[in-house]
Amino acid sequence: MASNLWSEEHLNCPVCLELLKDPVTTACGHSYCMGCIKNCWDQTDHTGVYSCPQCRETFTPRPVLRRNTVLAEVVEKFKKTGLNPPPAQSYAGPGDVPCDVCTGRKFKAVKSCLTCLASFCETHIKPHYEGAAFKRHKLINAIGNLEQKLCAEHQKVLEVFCRTDQTCICLLCLQNEHKSHDTFSAEAERTGKQKQLGETQTEIQQRIQERLKEIDELKQAVESLKRSACIEIKESEKIFTELIRSIEKIHTEVIELIGANKKAAVNQAEGRMKKLQQEIAELRRRNTELKQLSETEDHIHFLQNFQSLCAPPEAGDLPSVTVNKDISFEAVRKAVSELKDHIEDFCKGELVKITTTVNEVAVYSLQAPEPRNRAEFLKYSCQLTLDPNTAHRELCLSEGNRKVTRGGETQRYRHHPERFENWAQVLCREGLSGTRCYWEIGRSGRGALIGVTYKGISRKGGDYSCLLGCNDKSWSLECSGSSYSVQHNNNCTAITAPHYPRIGVYLDFNAGTLSFYGVSDTMTLLHRFQTTFTEPLYPGFWLNSGSSVTICQLN
């Protein structure tokens, strides 16, 4: 019979959503577990005001709670029927907003109240739908960190946006410290920023499409690079195979040449030796006959044969020769060795070119844009100091080797191989390479050259080949009053620009750019060199009489 009067919903605690334990009923008629309602009211002891979690009716002082025995009996009977527990999927999990009213294991909140600054599950949100006292409360989909919706100073709901301070404020803030500020309702400000948000989203989507397109292009480029590399490897193998064959052919020809020369020389020598041996045999035969004739006792026989046997031997059959006793092919070996050295040197030089060419092949080139304002240039500022070992004797360094002045007094610098002897120039200690660098130069006086150079610039000569910009090792900007000119490899270009007491120099070593700027409220490009730098660059200066330049402190 109890099951006809009571439903499962009536016997669940509105706080823990489980079957009532030691049920108690408040004066407003709502029932709770004794522990749940005591826990709720314990949290509000400091206010002295106690309310029903469902209808929000308040009680002062704190009501004395007594066990509802009738309801307890009904609960006991229902326990015997084997009631099913609430579904597990309704409990709050990771990433979910838990209900602020549930005790114990909390259920997932479905709505948050910006008036109550609390989040509620499906059961605990019902009073907001049914009770008249909650009609004005603003409900939104469940969100966490509701305490961020309160003003830290006044503990009031944030409802207004201050454009002056770019922050959310409450109504009390609006009446006090933000009274004269440019303020709008949060809803109105949201409307304006929603449009900006849409534009940002559109820009992001466009960026995504651009990046997807870039990925597709990179994939195609990678595939093209792979195909090209395979083709070039095969072609290179063919070329090197032919080269090896050519060297092997030369090798064979040299061996055959030496062999043929050896054979011809041996045959020639052996032919002469045979003739010599024949001549020796003939001479020995005649010598035997002459001996026999000299020993005969027959005077008539002697006289009859004397004329024929004593005739001198015939001469001229064999030409006279000089025998080379130190025969050697060492000269051939030397020539072959020189050929090897020439081929190796040539191959090394060509390999450098090939390596450079291969390294220039890339799927993409990454080059950041040049800075647009002084703040961006300053991100690349570098520390520079003047090198006393390079300073001409008419130049005086000061301010921690950051300033150089050309006066009439000769400085007592020690001899150093890197010192400029004839031109009033000085270089910095630091060599710049492989990065972006920016520095600024303050100037005064009649004029100066501001530039960069490879370390190998000549220091001793008196001709213009030692001057910054007048050779292939340096680049410079000449500043003389309000007139300018740039120089490289003795090529000079005049520039029309107003007077700038401060010059900015920007070097992008890898990109091969050297730029000179006039520094004021804005950055005015005076000239940009575009080239390929192959060695570290050293900033340097030439000064006219009575002039000075200072490396400005930027950090």
Side-chain angles (χ1 to χ4, degrees):
M1 185 162 181
S3 61
N4 294 330
L5 297 173
W6 299 88
S7 67
E8 180 182 342
E9 181 181 350
H10 293 131
L11 300 180
N12 283 341
C13 172
V15 176
C16 68
L17 300 182
E18 296 180 356
L19 204 60
L20 289 165
K21 300 174 184 177
D22 293 329
V24 296
T25 305
T26 59
C28 59
H30 293 108
S31 299
Y32 302 92
C33 297
M34 174 75 79
C36 291
I37 191 65
K38 283 183 65 177
N39 184 52
C40 287
W41 286 353
D42 287 346
Q43 296 178 14
T44 58
D45 267 344
H46 64 284
T47 64
V49 178
Y50 307 90
S51 62
C52 171
Q54 283 191 275
C55 66
R56 298 292 177 176
E57 183 177 340
T58 59
F59 311 104
T60 304
R62 177 170 177 166
V64 177
L65 297 173
R66 290 187 175 85
R67 191 168 185 267
N68 187 328
T69 56
V70 175
L71 189 57
E73 291 177 1
V74 174
V75 170
E76 288 302 319
K77 291 180 179 180
F78 263 79
K79 284 182 179 180
K80 296 177 181 180
T81 64
L83 294 174
N84 293 323
Q89 62 267 22
S90 62
Y91 287 115
D96 293 330
V97 179
C99 175
D100 290 320
V101 181
C102 293
T103 58
R105 187 177 181 186
K106 295 179 177 292
F107 283 98
K108 178 181 176 180
V110 294
K111 292 289 181 181
S112 295
C113 177
L114 296 181
T115 306
C116 301
L117 288 177
S119 298
F120 304 94
C121 61
E122 290 182 357
T123 300
H124 291 136
I125 196 61
K126 288 181 179 179
H128 278 76
Y129 295 140
E130 299 169 357
F134 299 104
K135 292 297 183 184
R136 290 188 175 183
H137 288 204
K138 186 172 182 180
L139 297 177
I140 61 173
N141 291 331
I143 59 172
N145 300 322
L146 285 171
E147 63 275 4
Q148 295 182 359
K149 311 297 179 185
L150 287 178
C151 172
E153 182 177 355
H154 303 110
Q155 294 300 306
K156 297 292 183 182
V157 178
L158 300 173
E159 302 180 60
V160 180
F161 184 80
C162 175
R163 288 185 178 175
T164 304
D165 294 335
Q166 289 294 301
T167 186
C168 295
I169 60 175
C170 69
L171 294 176
L172 288 179
C173 294
L174 180 62
Q175 296 173 7
N176 296 303
E177 58 265 32
H178 295 266
K179 186 175 182 179
S180 60
H181 290 185
D182 187 14
T183 58
F184 289 83
S185 69
E187 184 178 358
E189 185 66 18
R190 162 70 184 273
T191 302
K193 290 191 180 297
Q194 187 73 34
K195 181 180 178 182
Q196 182 180 348
L197 180 65
E199 293 173 352
T200 303
Q201 285 179 307
T202 301
E203 183 178 347
I204 289 175
Q205 290 297 328
Q206 183 178 354
R207 186 76 63 84
I208 290 173
Q209 294 303 316
E210 290 174 354
R211 294 298 181 258
L212 289 174
K213 181 181 178 182
E214 185 176 335
I215 289 175
D216 185 57
E217 291 175 348
L218 281 171
K219 287 181 179 178
Q220 295 180 19
V222 167
E223 291 303 317
S224 175
L225 179 67
K226 289 179 179 178
R227 291 192 299 269
S228 178
C230 290
I231 293 171
E232 293 308 317
I233 288 173
K234 291 179 180 178
E235 292 299 319
S236 296
E237 287 177 347
K238 290 180 181 178
I239 293 171
F240 278 107
T241 300
E242 292 174 0
L243 177 61
I244 292 170
R245 287 174 180 170
S246 297
I247 294 175
E248 289 176 344
K249 183 180 179 182
I250 294 174
H251 171 225
T252 302
E253 290 177 353
V254 170
I255 298 301
E256 290 177 350
L257 179 63
I258 294 174
N261 184 276
K262 178 196 73 172
K263 184 177 181 180
V266 169
N267 289 340
Q268 186 179 16
E270 288 178 345
R272 184 170 182 85
M273 285 190 294
K274 185 177 181 181
K275 290 181 179 180
L276 289 172
Q277 288 172 350
Q278 291 174 350
E279 184 177 348
I280 291 171
E282 178 63 23
L283 291 173
R284 284 176 175 171
R285 183 188 62 76
R286 288 190 62 188
N287 185 55
T288 301
E289 291 178 349
L290 288 173
K291 183 178 179 183
Q292 291 175 351
L293 183 63
S294 67
E295 294 176 351
T296 184
E297 294 179 355
D298 187 346
H299 303 302
I300 298 301
H301 175 72
F302 178 88
L303 293 172
Q304 288 176 338
N305 291 283
F306 174 82
Q307 191 67 30
S308 60
L309 292 177
C310 288
E314 295 182 1
D317 290 347
L318 291 176
S320 177
V321 296
T322 302
V323 178
N324 182 7
K325 296 181 180 180
D326 298 321
I327 299 175
S328 172
F329 284 94
E330 185 177 351
V332 177
R333 183 171 67 249
K334 183 178 179 182
V336 173
S337 179
E338 289 177 354
L339 174 63
K340 178 184 77 75
D341 293 340
H342 287 322
I343 292 176
E344 287 180 348
D345 291 342
F346 177 79
C347 289
K348 287 178 182 178
E350 292 303 307
L351 181 59
V352 172
K353 296 178 183 178
I354 293 171
T355 302
T356 303
T357 304
V358 171
N359 290 338
E360 289 175 352
V361 178
V363 174
Y364 65 92
S365 59
L366 181 61
Q367 183 174 334
E370 190 158 301
R372 293 164 294 181
N373 52 57
R374 188 166 180 265
E376 292 184 3
F377 278 105
L378 291 177
K379 294 178 182 178
Y380 304 102
S381 61
C382 59
Q383 299 290 336
L384 298 176
T385 53
L386 299 168
D387 185 357
N389 291 331
T390 66
H392 185 266
R393 286 184 170 81
E394 290 184 8
L395 300 180
C396 177
L397 307 187
S398 59
E399 297 184 11
N401 290 340
R402 298 181 65 85
K403 181 177 181 180
V404 55
T405 304
R406 184 179 182 184
E409 185 176 350
T410 301
Q411 306 299 312
R412 295 185 176 180
Y413 294 131
R414 292 182 299 175
H415 173 74
H416 197 280
E418 295 185 1
R419 189 175 311 285
F420 288 100
E421 292 187 352
N422 295 287
W423 291 97
Q425 296 185 140
V426 61
L427 302 183
C428 290
R429 294 180 184 271
E430 296 78 13
L432 310 176
S433 65
T435 184
R436 292 180 165 201
C437 301
Y438 177 75
W439 62 98
E440 290 182 356
I441 303 300
R443 64 185 182 92
S444 63
R446 296 174 57 188
L449 289 177
I450 300 171
V452 297
T453 179
Y454 295 147
K455 196 169 186 177
I457 188 173
S458 178
R459 319 293 175 102
K460 309 304 179 185
D463 58 6
Y464 282 94
S465 63
C466 302
L467 188 63
L468 289 172
C470 294
N471 48 69
D472 60 356
K473 294 180 174 61
S474 60
W475 297 257
S476 69
L477 170 73
E478 181 177 6
C479 310
S480 179
S482 59
S483 64
Y484 302 90
S485 63
V486 290
Q487 299 178 84
H488 170 62
N489 204 15
N490 213 27
N491 293 321
C492 182
T493 303
I495 299 172
T496 301
H499 174 74
Y500 292 102
R502 180 174 286 204
I503 300 296
V505 186
Y506 174 72
L507 169 67
D508 189 337
F509 189 93
N510 293 333
T513 59
L514 175 68
S515 307
F516 295 95
Y517 287 86
V519 180
S520 58
D521 294 336
T522 58
M523 302 290 290
T524 303
L525 178 63
L526 301 176
H527 186 78
R528 178 182 292 115
F529 287 105
Q530 184 69 57
T531 184
T532 299
F533 299 119
T534 58
E535 302 176 31
L537 292 166
Y538 292 81
F541 312 95
W542 169 86
L543 277 72
N544 206 336
S545 298
S547 300
S548 67
V549 298
T550 303
I551 303 172
C552 301
Q553 188 75 40
L554 299 180
N555 296 330

